Amino acid sequence: MHLSTLLLSTLPLALSHPNHAPFEPSPPPTETTTPSLSLEFTSDTAFTTALLNSTNTFRRAHNAPAVVYNTTLSAFAASYLDTTNPACAFRHSGGPYGENIALGCADARGCVELWGEERGAYDFGAPGFADGTGHFTQLVWKATTDVGCARRWCGDTRGWFLVCEYWPRGNVLGLFGEQVQAAESGVGRREGVWWLGLLVWLVVWF
Ligand SMILES: *[C@@H]1O[C@H](CO)[C@@H](O)[C@H](O)[C@H]1NC(C)=O
Ligand SMILES: *[C@@H]1O[C@H](CO)[C@@H](O)[C@H](O)[C@H]1NC(C)=O
């Protein structure tokens, strides 16, 4: 995992989000992977397959129907990264879709798993948007049917910038109880997810 610049962000709908910059991560531990070599980032087919498989694995576990890959969404994400934000500023597009972003993951599946494993911190008994679980709730939001993602190489220090768009968008305030379901017993509550908190700089703008 590429840890030096790992940043994640997601947005709730109907909350204002101040336009502040995410804090800078601390210096990295030893790197074990070179992100630029990840097939999941360099091959379009591997990228799409990894994202869909990983996304739908989490959705299946939380009783949400599988999403399909939508090129309107992926084209929007690509346009944002390559045209609107080519300098890789870590911020959201402000577009009409649900959006999870991450910077510095080693591969596409790894990004989705970091988002999904936030479920270990989600309180299904008190549904709602919370810092640190917003990627997960968007990922498994039942009413979302389509996903589309793009990535941009932001240099050796920062790694890959991944942007995923979701439609219809999730994280709609007031609907978390019906839209985010607990996993079947035995799934979704893994011991040891808390170590992620030590490794991941998590930024949720709200
Ligand atoms: C599909 O995604 C899940 C979750 O990320 C992962 O555990 C599994 O190995 C993936 N399967 C394939 C064939 O890549
Ligand atoms: C893809 O997403 C767009 C934007 O939300 C939507 O208008 C379109 O119907 C979707 N395409 C398909 C084939 O569902």
Side-chain angles (χ1 to χ4, degrees):
M1 192 185 301
H2 183 71
L3 296 170
S4 62
T5 57
L6 187 55
L7 296 167
L8 308 173
S9 190
T10 189
L11 287 176
L13 183 60
L15 282 179
S16 64
H17 41 96
N19 197 18
H20 60 76
F23 31 72
E24 288 299 315
S26 56
T30 308
E31 290 177 29
T32 55
T33 328
T34 304
S36 58
L37 297 182
S38 166
L39 188 65
E40 289 179 10
F41 280 129
T42 56
S43 153
D44 285 342
T45 306
F47 178 70
T48 306
T49 302
L51 286 164
L52 262 186
N53 166 63
S54 202
T55 298
N56 284 329
T57 298
F58 280 98
R59 291 181 63 83
R60 191 162 52 243
H62 291 272
N63 197 31
V67 289
V68 297
Y69 206 76
N70 181 320
T71 54
T72 302
L73 301 181
S74 57
F76 177 87
S79 168
Y80 168 59
L81 282 174
D82 295 338
T83 306
T84 312
N85 186 21
C88 295
F90 189 69
R91 60 169 181 246
H92 282 279
S93 68
Y97 312 115
E99 185 175 82
N100 282 351
I101 65 178
L103 180 58
C105 303
D107 54 35
R109 172 180 149 184
C111 282
V112 176
E113 289 180 349
L114 287 171
W115 296 338
E117 292 304 341
E118 289 176 355
R119 63 189 178 181
Y122 188 71
D123 185 352
F124 292 93
F129 186 83
D131 288 2
T133 56
H135 307 89
F136 161 68
T137 52
Q138 169 60 85
L139 191 68
V140 304
W141 194 265
K142 290 178 75 172
T144 295
T145 57
D146 292 26
V147 68
C149 309
R151 74 286 194 198
R152 180 177 178 81
W153 175 246
C154 298
D156 287 332
T157 308
R158 312 189 76 192
W160 290 98
F161 194 161
L162 175 70
V163 174
C164 286
E165 311 290 343
Y166 303 86
W167 179 79
R169 68 181 299 166
N171 286 353
V172 181
L173 299 182
L175 300 181
F176 280 73
E178 66 192 54
Q179 289 292 326
V180 180
Q181 290 205 344
E184 306 294 311
S185 60
V187 188
R189 287 260 169 196
R190 284 199 208 162
E191 290 179 24
V193 296
W194 298 105
W195 67 267
L196 284 171
L198 298 172
L199 299 176
V200 175
W201 284 92
L202 173 67
V203 180
V204 178
W205 294 0
F206 63 96

